Amino acid sequence: LTANESSEDDAGSSNSDLSLVGPPIHVQLGDTLSVMLKNSLPTSGLSIHWHGFEMTNALEFDGVVGVTQCPISPHTQFRYEFEVDENPGSYWWHTHSVSVHHMRIT
């Protein structure tokens, strides 16, 4: 996944490819989820927070900036990798950042 800046015009355009929620990730019980996040933002750190995952033995990948993880610095990347040990269902993820107003996740 890559986080990039988006202009305000992109955010207001109905034909924009601006994505506030990234692509779906499909996993099954026992899979290892491995996602590389590349922060291409010029000045903002960020992380990915995984809603619904217990993060057993992997709390450092929970993605709450300032609580379980430091932000991923601009122009760097970080690999999230943990075993999926959850009941079947729908879970979701999103970025955490203090200062991102317009961002595209691809």
Side-chain angles (χ1 to χ4, degrees), residues 38-49:
K38 179 181 177 185
N39 184 357
S40 295
L41 299 172
T43 60
S44 297
L46 74 155
S47 69
I48 294 178
H49 177 62

Side-chain angles (χ1 to χ4, degrees), residues 16 18 25 28 55 64 100:
S16 167
L18 176 67
I25 299 171
Q28 295 180 15
M55 307 308 283
V64 181
V100 175

Side-chain angles (χ1 to χ4, degrees), residues 4-100:
N4 295 298
E5 261 193 331
S6 176
S7 70
E8 284 193 41
D9 289 344
D10 285 343
S13 171
S14 61
N15 60 4
S16 167
D17 65 352
L18 176 67
S19 179
L20 298 176
V21 176
I25 299 171
H26 301 278
V27 293
Q28 295 180 15
L29 181 66
D31 285 353
T32 297
L33 178 61
S34 182
V35 174
M36 177 69 74
L37 176 61
K38 179 181 177 185
N39 184 357
S40 295
L41 299 172
T43 60
S44 297
L46 74 155
S47 69
I48 294 178
H49 177 62
W50 307 91
H51 275 268
F53 288 91
E54 294 293 327
M55 307 308 283
T56 304
N57 299 316
L59 192 57
E60 67 273 20
F61 297 117
D62 191 40
V64 181
V65 171
V67 178
T68 60
Q69 182 180 354
C70 293
I72 301 162
S73 299
H75 310 291
T76 63
Q77 55 190 19
F78 180 82
R79 179 173 302 280
Y80 290 88
E81 190 167 285
F82 55 91
E83 184 177 338
V84 176
D85 188 21
E86 314 301 330
N87 291 322
S90 296
Y91 300 89
W92 61 286
W93 61 273
H94 64 87
T95 59
H96 270 222
S97 178
V98 176
S99 60
V100 175

